[in-house]
Amino acid sequence: QVDLVESGGRSGQVGESLTLSCAASSRRPFSSYAMAWFRQAPGEQREFVAGIAWSGIPTTYYSPSAKGRFTISRDDAKNTAYLQMNSLRPSDTGVYYCAAAHWGSGTRTSEEQYEAWGQGTQVTVSS
């Protein structure tokens, strides 16, 4: 079991940058978890944004809208995953959730592939 707490969400303007953090607490090593970020815009389904495999597999992957603008990373010493968001757009607005999957490998873009979720952090981008 892992507990996840997101932080860093705020309101910003188009073109700005923002970094979200996801702090994990678990008896298992954080390095053994694949991590991901999902976004839920108002009135829409939650959708995949970015993912990173557990630390033995150096793999990151992104949604088409995030690729080239967002970077997912992890600091296993701090039990924390990050989402660096650049060139923000109004369409990036939503609640951002981090998710974890133990020994998660491969490309995991579906909610069902993750076993734990944080409570979410709000990002609002205004034009």
Side-chain angles (χ1 to χ4, degrees), residues 6 17 22 47-48 51 60 87 95-96 100 102-103:
E6 303 94 335
S17 296
C22 174
E47 62 179 358
F48 170 79
T60 59
S87 303
V95 178
Y96 283 72
H102 195 226
W103 298 124

Side-chain angles (χ1 to χ4, degrees), residues 54-104:
W54 69 279
S55 292
I57 305 174
T59 301
T60 59
Y61 42 97
Y62 300 88
S63 68
S65 65
K67 194 170 185 179
R69 298 189 300 125
F70 294 1
T71 301
I72 187 171
S73 62
R74 62 190 303 152
D75 185 336
D76 293 338
K78 295 183 178 180
N79 292 348
T80 301
Y82 303 95
L83 184 67
Q84 171 70 41
M85 307 164 65
N86 298 326
S87 303
L88 285 169
R89 305 167 178 168
S91 57
D92 295 323
T93 294
V95 178
Y96 283 72
Y97 298 89
C98 70
H102 195 226
W103 298 124

Side-chain angles (χ1 to χ4, degrees), residues 2-55:
V2 58
D3 296 319
L4 304 173
V5 178
E6 303 94 335
S7 62
R10 62 172 176 83
S11 296
Q13 299 293 317
V14 169
E16 290 185 346
S17 296
L18 182 63
T19 299
L20 304 181
S21 300
C22 174
S25 176
S26 175
R27 283 185 283 185
R28 295 168 171 166
F30 179 67
S31 59
S32 65
Y33 285 95
M35 301 297 296
W37 289 93
F38 285 73
R39 173 178 65 225
Q40 187 166 21
E44 298 188 12
Q45 300 275 8
R46 191 156 53 182
E47 62 179 358
F48 170 79
V49 175
I52 185 168
W54 69 279
S55 292

